[in-house]
Amino acid sequence: MSTRITSSMTSRSVLADIEAAHERLAKTQQELSSQKAISVPSDDPFGTTRALEFRSELEGNQQYQRNVQEASSWQDVTDAALTQIGDFTLRARDLLVQGSTDTASPTDRSAIAAEIDQLVDSLKSEANARYAGRYVFAGTQTQTPPYQQGAVDTYAGDANTIKRQIGPNVQLDVNVTGQSAVGDGSTGLIAALRKIAADLRTPGTTSALQGSDLQALDAAHDSLTNLRAVVGARTNRLDAALSRLQELEGSTTKLLSQTEDIDFAQTMVDFSNQQAVYTAALKAGAQVVQPSLLDFLK
């Protein structure tokens, strides 16, 4: 038994074909407009999953880069302060050598002691260096100035380390504590300078100035030099980490583009072909659905 093809069936079929051609054309036009091959997950479920993974990786990478850049700035501030403190230490050494000679008078030694006291305040100011409103030498007590000006030499920070995550499961210490850099009234550089100033004001201490005082000051300067080496090594590691992260960002961005962006040249060819198909379908459809009962009654 044959199926009778009616004009209404033909019209519906033609209209369905035209609508399908129009949908394909509209989708391709939308891709050209957005430059994206994936507009909704149903366009490419697998590609959508990969794109989401790549975007997540990029977000993590960019956060690591921000951490690295902040840590690098922290190192710059720390190194600048340590450099200045080192200069103050060398100045104090020159003064110590001058004051420890037998030719230096009590007045000379008193004046030198006063300058050393000023150097202590100066190095405390450097040890109160801040980055982004935080005290870099205060351990984790970053809102507390680690030192006070004047005679009180107590360290107000703590010995805790501050870490920054610079990669997946990779953390780096970024801080140097004031205790390790300059000490306080009983240990380290500050204690050595206070002892020197006191001995300069005390008669008969030339041997101490030339011996134990000079040794303590040199040891404190060596400690500063070692800390600067640590900061320099951290800076080099951060530079390498940033370079690696930037390379990874570039490769991930490329993979994301390959996953969700269109091939512009190919899409233009598809658009032209689909536009021609749609136009032809409209013309053919017009010829098919044009005859009507009135045409036969003429």
Side-chain angles (χ1 to χ4, degrees), residues 8 14 54 100 123 172 174 193 206 225 228 255 266-267 273:
S8 62
V14 169
F54 290 142
S100 63
L123 68 87
L172 180 70
V174 300
L193 292 176
T206 299
T225 301
R228 288 197 65 196
L255 289 171
Q266 182 60 51
T267 306
N273 290 336

Side-chain angles (χ1 to χ4, degrees), residues 124 145-148 151-157 179 183-185 190:
K124 283 182 181 180
Y147 294 100
Q148 299 179 29
V152 178
D153 296 327
T154 304
Y155 172 61
Q179 188 71 52
D184 53 30
I190 292 177

Side-chain angles (χ1 to χ4, degrees), residues 59-247:
E59 289 176 2
N61 179 290
Q62 289 161 1
Q63 181 60 58
Y64 293 143
Q65 288 192 52
R66 288 191 290 270
N67 292 348
V68 168
Q69 290 165 349
E70 184 202 28
S72 295
S73 297
W74 191 292
Q75 301 313 298
D76 291 342
V77 172
T78 301
D79 185 64
L82 290 176
T83 299
Q84 192 62 55
I85 291 171
D87 291 343
F88 293 148
T89 304
L90 293 177
R91 174 57 181 166
R93 192 182 194 281
D94 291 340
L95 292 172
L96 170 58
V97 171
Q98 293 175 27
S100 63
T101 62
D102 292 331
T103 57
S105 67
T107 301
D108 293 335
R109 290 188 176 184
S110 179
I112 291 172
E115 184 172 347
I116 287 179
D117 287 337
Q118 293 300 312
L119 288 174
V120 172
D121 279 343
S122 295
L123 68 87
K124 283 182 181 180
S125 294
E126 292 299 325
N128 284 345
R130 293 193 293 176
Y131 166 68
R134 292 166 291 177
Y135 292 94
V136 300
F137 289 99
T140 55
Q141 304 298 315
T142 56
Q143 299 302 313
T144 301
Y147 294 100
Q148 299 179 29
Q149 296 293 298
V152 178
D153 296 327
T154 304
Y155 172 61
D158 59 35
N160 297 326
T161 58
I162 296 175
K163 300 178 182 293
R164 290 291 181 269
Q165 189 162 355
I166 61 173
N169 302 316
V170 180
Q171 290 188 330
L172 180 70
D173 295 346
V174 300
N175 69 313
V176 171
T177 66
Q179 188 71 52
S180 62
V182 298
D184 53 30
S186 58
T187 60
L189 178 58
I190 292 177
L193 292 176
R194 292 301 192 195
K195 176 69 163 49
I196 291 168
D199 287 346
L200 285 168
R201 293 184 172 99
T202 304
T205 56
T206 299
S207 60
L209 290 167
Q210 294 176 345
S212 59
D213 288 349
L214 183 59
Q215 292 172 3
L217 190 58
D218 285 343
H221 185 263
D222 289 343
S223 179
L224 284 172
T225 301
N226 292 335
L227 286 176
R228 288 197 65 196
V230 170
V231 172
R234 288 176 181 169
T235 299
N236 291 337
R237 184 178 176 186
L238 289 166
D239 289 343
L242 183 60
S243 177
R244 184 184 69 254
L245 288 167
Q246 289 173 339
E247 290 176 1

